[in-house]
Amino acid sequence: MSKPPHTGDKPLLFVDIDGVISLFGFESDRRPAGRWVNVDGMLHFLSAAAGEHLPRLAESYDLVWCSGWEERANDHLPHALALPGPLPFLSFARAPGDTGAHWKLDAIDAHAGQRPLAWIDDAITDACEAWAARRRAPTLLVPTEPPTGLTAAHVATLEDWARRLTHS
Ligand SMILES: [Mg+2]
């Protein structure tokens, strides 16, 4: 008998926003598809492609906002990107830890425990790579470029990884 699907079966996907969904650093004559959105008085350029990719990724992953936007991600992004409902989000200690590790790692660890996880971010550092190598659960880091953010190639990589995970 096949197992009924429930959320615990999917790996987690931690989703950064700036440099992944909110793009920057592109040439003014090479602006990707998307639109400007006013977020608390600051203009952000939201990628149309990211808006299309996220619902698809939600079929393979439990999505979690992993951004300095924290809870504000839910105030703006589900509406602007036509995403279903609010998503869980991480909150971060304001000062980076003494270890010099990436400032998001403690919160990711606390949320993920021993679950398999992927993390897409434009600021993956050597400290993140070392942390991923130390994790005992499967861990995939997906770096992005801020002018393009989340692309179809990233989606293919993420879907492939999730598929291998559930079939291994
Ligand atoms: Mg970022």
Side-chain angles (χ1 to χ4, degrees):
M1 198 162 64
S2 63
K3 274 193 301 180
H6 62 89
T7 54
D9 286 333
K10 293 180 185 175
L12 292 157
L13 176 57
F14 291 93
V15 182
D16 181 31
I17 297 170
D18 291 315
V20 177
I21 295 168
S22 173
L23 308 183
F24 56 90
F26 45 80
E27 303 289 328
S28 57
D29 59 347
R30 289 196 197 159
R31 198 173 74 193
R35 66 189 178 101
W36 294 100
V37 172
N38 186 330
V39 177
D40 301 339
M42 244 183 97
L43 283 178
H44 288 262
F45 187 79
L46 300 186
S47 159
E52 292 166 12
H53 293 322
L54 284 174
R56 179 165 163 177
L57 286 169
E59 295 174 15
S60 309
Y61 289 90
D62 290 332
L63 305 184
V64 181
W65 296 128
C66 180
S67 162
W69 288 40
E70 297 184 335
E71 75 279 5
R72 289 179 303 127
N74 284 327
D75 295 341
H76 300 279
L77 296 180
H79 174 69
L81 298 173
L83 302 176
L87 295 178
F89 62 90
L90 298 189
S91 299
F92 303 99
R94 289 301 162 192
D98 296 333
T99 59
H102 194 287
W103 57 284
K104 293 180 178 176
L105 294 179
D106 286 349
I108 293 175
D109 269 334
H111 188 95
Q114 294 301 313
R115 287 180 68 182
L117 71 86
W119 174 20
I120 186 162
D121 200 299
D122 67 319
I124 300 289
T125 64
D126 290 347
C128 304
E129 301 281 0
W131 164 85
R134 282 196 308 270
R135 281 197 90 231
R136 292 166 72 179
T139 306
L140 176 69
L141 302 182
V142 181
T144 63
E145 298 295 328
T148 46
L150 173 60
T151 66
H154 297 131
V155 174
T157 299
L158 284 160
E159 287 187 331
D160 186 52
W161 190 78
R163 205 162 30 237
R164 287 165 194 249
L165 203 63
T166 48
H167 293 153
S168 62

